[in-house]
Amino acid sequence: MNSATFDKIAFGAMLLLVWQAASVWTGPEPISSPFLVAQQLYRWSLNGVLGANAGYTLLAAVLGFVIGGLPGLALPFVLRKRPFVTAVLDPFILIGYGLPKVAFIPLFIIWFGIGIWSKVALVASVSFFLVFFSTMEGVRGVDPRLLRMAKVAGASEAQLLRTIVWPSALPFVFQAVQVTLPLSIGGAAIAELISSNRGLGYLVQYSAGNFEVTGALAAVTALALVVAVTNVGIDRLHDRLLAWKGSHSKGITSGKVS
């Protein structure tokens, strides 16, 4: 275990100790306690409540991320050689990005109902813009000297995209994924707070509505754990693909374009 990991664990343990001490000082009613929250999570895991509701939230987040993120990923590559279309679309995309997506939840419920698709629509509306702007930054940041060298070597547009533009934009794509996917999980839970009968957001709303502080904090803790596990998975995938990009870039800079 390296020092950074140890420091993170130590800081987390310190927060739990502070929370437990505050619970003892004030009593468990206002803020519950880590022990009571752990007990609640254990009961929910045994009776299937935790798995069913976490799975519902995660499904809405993943569907929304894919439906919104894929167009956001593809559009910068489509616009790369179309400056006029980019200039026309830019102000409209900026307006769409600036609009508060939560304000559209009532409309999403009218359009898609109170089921999972209204949550998916909210997540997709957030994911598109975050992925688009990060990917666009990567596409625009490609070294023009590499492009000129590859063109002189006879590379086609498809080869330029595959061997230069995509590898150069890949860190920005992963940056978008690292930011957007956890936000997608939170966005799905926010939509569930407003209108749902399933999901971790619903558990928070239901528990808080019944003044069950332990249940509400248990649902929030479960949501935090899902986000944390997602971040770990993204980081590991990023490290693997970044190593691939490094070896691929060496081939490009040595003049090999296939």
Side-chain angles (χ1 to χ4, degrees):
M1 181 185 299
N2 57 42
S3 60
T5 303
F6 178 80
D7 290 341
K8 292 175 184 178
I9 294 174
F11 183 72
M14 183 187 69
L15 290 179
L16 290 177
L17 288 174
V18 171
W19 182 8
Q20 181 63 41
S23 175
V24 172
W25 179 264
T26 64
E29 290 79 12
I31 59 173
S32 189
S33 73
F35 179 72
L36 293 175
V37 167
Q39 279 188 321
Q40 184 65 65
L41 288 173
Y42 179 70
R43 286 194 294 268
W44 280 348
S45 64
L46 289 180
N47 60 23
V49 170
L50 182 61
N53 287 280
Y56 184 84
T57 299
L58 199 55
L59 177 61
V62 171
L63 285 174
F65 173 75
V66 171
I67 291 172
L70 287 180
L73 174 64
L75 189 57
F77 293 94
V78 174
L79 296 177
R80 190 178 75 87
K81 301 291 286 185
R82 296 170 176 83
F84 176 76
V85 178
T86 302
V88 172
L89 291 180
D90 263 350
F92 296 98
I93 293 176
L94 287 171
I95 291 172
Y97 175 69
L99 292 173
K101 309 305 181 293
V102 176
F104 286 89
I105 292 179
L107 287 174
F108 291 148
I109 292 173
I110 293 173
W111 294 336
F112 303 106
I114 63 172
I116 193 172
W117 291 108
S118 57
K119 288 76 178 171
V120 171
L122 174 66
V123 174
S125 67
V126 174
S127 299
F128 169 80
F129 292 102
L130 293 177
V131 174
F132 171 80
F133 282 113
S134 185
T135 304
M136 180 62 84
E137 183 181 359
V139 169
R140 287 174 172 171
V142 176
D143 190 341
R145 293 173 298 178
L146 286 177
L147 295 174
R148 287 195 295 268
M149 289 170 58
K151 287 179 181 179
V152 170
S156 65
E157 179 64 21
Q159 289 173 325
L160 291 177
L161 287 173
R162 179 167 54 87
T163 61
I164 297 178
V165 180
W166 170 248
S168 297
L170 189 60
F172 295 87
V173 173
F174 263 96
Q175 183 181 40
V177 173
Q178 286 175 312
V179 172
T180 306
L181 193 52
L183 284 179
S184 298
I185 298 171
I190 290 172
E192 291 164 358
L193 285 170
I194 296 175
S195 176
S196 185
N197 58 0
R198 283 186 290 175
L200 294 176
Y202 164 74
L203 286 181
V204 174
Q205 189 274 337
Y206 176 83
S207 299
N210 288 284
F211 300 98
E212 298 174 3
V213 176
T214 297
L217 287 174
V220 171
T221 301
L223 189 62
L225 290 174
V226 170
V227 171
V229 171
T230 301
N231 282 332
V232 170
I234 294 171
D235 287 342
R236 290 185 177 180
L237 182 61
H238 173 266
D239 291 340
R240 290 184 180 182
L241 288 185
L242 193 63
W244 166 84
K245 175 183 176 294
S247 61
H248 194 68
S249 298
K250 291 178 182 178
I252 294 170
T253 54
S254 65
K256 298 176 182 179
V257 180
S258 58

